[in-house]
Amino acid sequence: MPESADDDALPPGRRRGTRGPAQDEAVSAAIEAAAFDELAAAGWRRLSMDTVARRAGVGKAALYRRWRSKEAMLLDLVARLVRREVPGVPDTGTLAGDVRGFLDLTVAQTADPRVVRIAVDLLGESVRNPALAESLRLAVLAPRREAAAAILWRAVERGELPAGLDPELGTDLLISPLLLRLLPGTPPVDGVYLDTLTTVIVAGLASATPSTSPARQTEPGHIHHGP
């Protein structure tokens, strides 16, 4: 019986009927790695299902059995990656320790140069693609902000931050400065920089009181995901 062109198999001779869970997991892992490699190399606009399949060494049907389109594939893979890699919420017992732990985890996530290239590419594309922007907000930004909010809420419970802390401003302070420093072309991040940034963020959080807008006066544990 000839081998089907639609087989997921990586090694020659493997047929659809012989696939098992381990083989399916291997194929899925190969597709994920190929998709991120291709996205980093070619960018969102030039990436296609064909190029991902070739790079992964599988038939194109292996991708379409999992996702209906390039967009669905990439957004699903990005969301899965974020769920696996979003910074855990460090609990060191102090706000300064938690902030530094959060920063360290963020730096570790960007050690792979593909991550920054992909992030910049998707950010640029989202400016032109509102649907992509909304999907990325839910899949990428929301989990990170939830992790940051947990740090703030614990600090409020410990009495290290005021109970009236503005949660949106607080999460901005925890996330934004370091992400900007990790963009291409910026100086490298070292321990001295992270120590200083931790001190600045902690000081800023102590002053991050709510604005006069009632809509912003919410608990640090609650993240408003609307505009």
Side-chain angles (χ1 to χ4, degrees):
M1 182 178 182
E3 182 181 3
S4 168
D6 290 344
D7 281 346
D8 290 359
L10 292 174
R14 199 176 80 198
R15 297 178 173 83
R16 186 180 305 173
T18 65
R19 289 201 314 268
Q23 291 172 322
D24 282 336
E25 289 179 11
V27 170
S28 295
I31 292 173
E32 178 177 324
F36 286 127
D37 285 343
E38 190 66 21
L39 184 58
W44 173 275
R45 292 203 166 199
R46 293 173 54 200
L47 181 145
S48 70
M49 299 288 263
D50 285 332
T51 57
V52 172
R54 283 197 299 270
R55 188 184 280 265
V58 301
K60 188 167 60 173
L63 276 64
Y64 282 108
R65 275 195 289 274
R66 291 165 170 82
W67 304 281
R68 67 183 183 277
S69 66
K70 173 185 83 172
E71 290 76 10
M73 175 185 70
L74 291 178
L75 289 174
D76 179 48
L77 291 177
V78 168
R80 290 186 196 183
L81 180 65
V82 170
R83 286 195 295 269
R84 291 199 308 265
E85 302 294 339
V86 70
V89 184
D91 187 356
T92 66
T94 68
L95 175 59
D98 289 357
V99 169
R100 178 58 193 268
F102 188 81
L103 297 179
D104 285 339
L105 286 167
T106 301
V107 171
Q109 285 185 307
T110 60
D112 184 340
R114 297 180 306 171
V115 172
V116 175
R117 289 200 298 270
I118 289 171
V120 171
D121 178 67
L122 292 180
L123 179 62
E125 183 62 28
S126 67
V127 173
R128 300 180 290 270
N129 186 335
L132 174 63
E134 176 65 7
S135 296
L136 291 174
R137 182 181 70 82
L138 294 173
V140 178
L141 183 59
R144 189 173 293 275
R145 293 184 73 84
E146 292 287 355
I151 291 174
L152 301 181
W153 186 235
R154 279 204 307 265
V156 170
E157 290 183 319
R158 289 193 297 254
E160 294 179 282
L161 289 176
L165 178 75
D166 184 328
E168 297 297 323
L169 178 57
T171 52
D172 289 344
L173 287 171
L174 267 172
I175 294 171
S176 302
L178 180 57
L179 290 184
L180 288 174
R181 181 62 178 259
L182 294 172
L183 291 174
T186 57
V189 171
D190 58 18
V192 174
Y193 176 81
L194 292 175
D195 286 341
T196 304
L197 182 58
T198 297
T199 300
V200 170
I201 289 174
V202 170
L205 288 172
S207 302
T209 53
S211 68
T212 56
S213 171
R216 295 180 65 87
Q217 297 181 21
T218 55
E219 289 184 349
H222 171 73
I223 298 299
H224 173 63
H225 296 305

